[in-house]
């Protein structure tokens, strides 16, 4: 049996770290990211630092997240990892928003959006647009937040991405209720039910 090389071991450890992060086990996430970096850094090193930044965000350690994402951004640019570069920028946008640095946050989100559009990944475009919506909400700019959530919804709808559609719809319901527009809130509540039923139906087919 051929020996498994360090690059493969690094990727396997990274995937395990992602699973732990999804399960919100931050300690194990950090442990397996460290193992991944120990096996092999390579062109994908920036993705490991992005995951560290996301772990820090889950613990509300925003300064730590910015440091990790900044390191990831440098690595991803150096290694020409455009998708991961956008991920770094998006994390920095979120972290800056949490710290109240709204201007910088918007700049990072816009840079991420530029790369998302370049790659044509609808899910990433919608994710960044929702991030901008969240940023507007933090500043109590409800109409601007609605506009971004609508754009995210339309991107996901066009791509047929039901789960991403649902995330945008849930945000729109909240925004319309905050703004006192119950008719629109009810309209999107019906859309939410339709999307939820579609997701359930697809799950039953599997």
């Amino acid at each position: 049996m051929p020996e498994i090389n360090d690059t493969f071991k690094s990727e396997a450890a990274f995937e395990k770290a992602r699973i732990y992060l999804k399960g919100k086990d931050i300690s194990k996430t950090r442990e397996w990211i460290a193992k991944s970096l120990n096996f092999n850094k390579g062109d994908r090193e920036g993705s490991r630092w992005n995951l560290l930044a996301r772990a820090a965000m889950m613990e509300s350690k925003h300064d730590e997240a910015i440091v990790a994402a900044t390191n990831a951004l440098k690595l991803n640019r150096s290694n020409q990892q455009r998708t991961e570069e956008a991920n770094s920028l998006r994390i920095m946008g979120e972290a800056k928003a949490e710290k109240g640095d709204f201007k910088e946050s918007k700049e990072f989100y816009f840079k991420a959006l530029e790369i998302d559009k370049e790659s044509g990944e609808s899910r990433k475009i919608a994710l960044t647009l929702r991030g901008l919506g969240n940023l507007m909400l933090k500043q109590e700019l409800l109409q601007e937040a609605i506009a971004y959530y609508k754009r995210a919804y339309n991107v996901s709808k066009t791509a047929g991405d039901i789960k991403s559609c649902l995330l945008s719809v849930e945000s729109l319901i909240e925004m319309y209720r905050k703004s006192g527009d119950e008719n629109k809130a009810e309209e999107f509540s019906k859309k939410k039910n339709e999307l939820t039923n579609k997701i359930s139906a697809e799950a039953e087919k599997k």
Side-chain angles (χ1 to χ4, degrees), residues 195-205:
L195 291 167
T196 302
N197 289 337
K198 282 183 181 178
I199 291 169
S200 297
E202 286 188 0
E204 287 175 4
K205 290 178 184 177

Side-chain angles (χ1 to χ4, degrees), residues 75-130:
L75 288 164
N76 290 323
R77 283 176 172 166
S78 175
N79 293 321
Q80 298 181 323
Q81 299 288 321
R82 292 290 277 171
T83 300
E84 287 295 339
E85 181 182 341
N87 289 341
S88 303
L89 291 163
R90 202 163 21 248
I91 294 167
M92 291 173 77
E94 183 182 351
K96 289 288 184 179
E98 291 295 334
K99 286 173 61 66
D101 298 333
F102 300 135
K103 184 180 178 183
E104 283 188 75
S105 173
K106 190 174 182 180
E107 289 171 358
F108 283 124
Y109 274 127
F110 275 0
K111 287 176 183 176
L113 187 59
E114 185 179 331
I115 297 173
D116 295 335
K117 288 179 177 179
E118 176 188 298
S119 67
E121 290 188 57
S122 61
R123 183 163 289 191
K124 293 294 180 73
I125 293 170
L127 182 61
T128 304
L129 289 170
R130 285 198 303 274

Side-chain angles (χ1 to χ4, degrees), residues 20-98:
Y20 278 121
L21 185 67
K22 192 173 181 180
K24 299 181 180 179
D25 188 334
I26 306 302
S27 177
K28 284 289 184 181
T29 299
R30 293 179 186 276
E31 177 186 332
W32 282 93
I33 292 172
K35 288 181 180 181
S36 176
L37 289 169
N38 187 52
F39 283 129
N40 189 331
K41 293 182 172 66
D43 291 346
R44 298 273 294 152
E45 184 181 358
S47 64
R48 281 58 169 163
W49 284 95
N50 274 339
L51 201 63
L52 278 172
R54 285 176 56 200
M57 287 298 295
M58 287 182 72
E59 293 183 310
S60 298
K61 295 178 179 178
H62 305 128
D63 288 327
E64 183 181 323
I66 289 168
V67 170
T70 299
N71 193 29
L73 184 62
K74 290 176 183 176
L75 288 164
N76 290 323
R77 283 176 172 166
S78 175
N79 293 321
Q80 298 181 323
Q81 299 288 321
R82 292 290 277 171
T83 300
E84 287 295 339
E85 181 182 341
N87 289 341
S88 303
L89 291 163
R90 202 163 21 248
I91 294 167
M92 291 173 77
E94 183 182 351
K96 289 288 184 179
E98 291 295 334

Side-chain angles (χ1 to χ4, degrees), residues 118-181:
E118 176 188 298
S119 67
E121 290 188 57
S122 61
R123 183 163 289 191
K124 293 294 180 73
I125 293 170
L127 182 61
T128 304
L129 289 170
R130 285 198 303 274
L132 283 161
N134 295 341
L135 174 61
M136 296 302 113
L137 175 58
K138 283 186 176 295
Q139 298 170 82
E140 299 185 0
L141 302 170
L142 298 186
Q143 293 308 312
E144 286 87 342
I146 287 170
Y148 279 119
Y149 290 139
K150 271 188 176 179
R151 284 175 63 187
Y153 169 73
N154 288 329
V155 166
S156 299
K157 184 180 178 183
T158 301
D161 189 339
I162 300 172
K163 289 183 179 178
S164 287
C165 273
L166 182 59
L167 292 172
S168 298
V169 163
E170 287 173 340
S171 295
L172 283 165
I173 293 167
E174 181 186 352
M175 289 305 95
Y176 282 124
R177 285 192 173 138
K178 280 182 179 289
S179 65
D181 193 337

